[in-house]
Amino acid sequence: MSEPFAAVEIIGAKRDNCVLTDPQIDWIVDAYTRGIVADEQMSALLMAILLNGMNGHEISRWTDAMVNSGKRMSWSKLRVPTVDKHSTGGVGDKITLPLAPLVAACGAAVPQLSGRGLGHTGGTLDKLESIPGWRASLTNAEMLKVLQECGAVICAAGADLAPADKKLYALRDVTGTVPAISLIASSIMSKKIAEGTSALVLDVKAGSGAFISDPEQAKLLARTMVDLGNRSGVKTRALVTAMDVPLGLTAGNALEVRESVEVLAGGGPADVVELTILLAREMLELVGVTSKDPATALKDGSAMDHWRRMISAQGGDPDAKLPTAKETQQVFAETDGLLTKMDAMKVGVAAWLLGAGRSRQGEKVQAAAGIEMHAKPGEMVKKGAPLFTLHSDEPERFTRSLAALDGAVSISTSNEKVERLPLIVARIE
Ligand code: URA
């Protein structure tokens, strides 16, 4: 059958800043997924989109075309409403781990399809895989069973969920076309719409450790995604939150699981606890489940019970000892003073260089590698006190990681102010 368009026409239209028509968008996304449009043609179109943008209608149509490239899941067999959270990614962002069982403990169901880390940002599946026995790949029937029995499931997306995004994301990653609001918004929302959740809370990160560092651009991304979700029948809202400083006191897979378990046990770092509770409240309010407050579910052990059931249901042993690194090395404060800055990007890159992340899709990560932070901006430190502990199974990695940490922190001996974004930058409905 002859094709209704030639890719080069569509590339030329976007290059010349024209609005793409619905049939052009439907065809190019479908034809690329089928392998009719070549990678070099799609790369050129993605770059034209990055440079010239897409309007709201084009983004919405592009998103629908990606959803329609695969299957849409349905949770109609569940008796409780479904609600999910998606973070645009950051350093030390382990919030999904305590959040999913917490929201389940409060009475909603959380079907969470998560990803793996790439570059300096960690991935939820890599973190959970540091728990001995835990399995990320589930069939749809297994996913439903875990959701029915535990109220929450965190697993990998199947091959038939928005396959167009899988191809497009891999191509964007190697063609410098990731940081375009239209492409990020359609990529994330196509997967969340196809996942079949009835409601969604987005955690859009702003700051050096985020994909989009400028808070104003992050707000625009949040607005774009909230509109896409609501237009597709997914009740969606967003918090724009700080990613100029790492979240919590750990970055790295097993280290972050340990910190998440501390939060579920009623402890943990204040910023992780605060963001987990705020996001849980937003999720529960969105689906009208307000009988139990998340702060109570963290204190009374019910969130921990849901975590243990969820981990066991996916083959994991919640009591197993988490892996620890063969080698550690500390970084010490060079002077007394107030810690005014800790750059999330530098800490993320340093953790990645220790083996916590991957530089190519499919690469293996080290479960125990990463960084512990012993102080955060706003705290006084003493000369010689530890600032960071680096963990790795391969000590030869320390040199490059230490170089990446160069300039990551500022310690002020005068009355300099702490430079950081507020934890919650904006709320978008
Ligand atoms: N995460 C996604 O799923 N897609 C993007 O484009 C960026 C982050």
Side-chain angles (χ1 to χ4, degrees), residues 123-146:
T124 298
L125 301 181
D126 295 327
K127 294 172 198 182
L128 285 169
E129 275 176 350
S130 62
I131 301 173
W134 188 85
R135 199 159 55 87
S137 289
L138 300 183
T139 62
N140 288 358
E142 284 175 322
M143 221 183 137
L144 180 64
K145 188 161 179 282
V146 179

Side-chain angles (χ1 to χ4, degrees), residues 85 87-97 122 124 127 203 205 243 247 250 256 275:
K85 184 257 349 187
S87 158
T88 55
V91 179
D93 184 2
K94 71 275 297 169
I95 301 289
T96 291
L97 276 58
T124 298
K127 294 172 198 182
D203 180 4
K205 299 293 187 196
M243 189 33 72
L247 254 179
T250 56
E256 292 191 48
L275 190 54

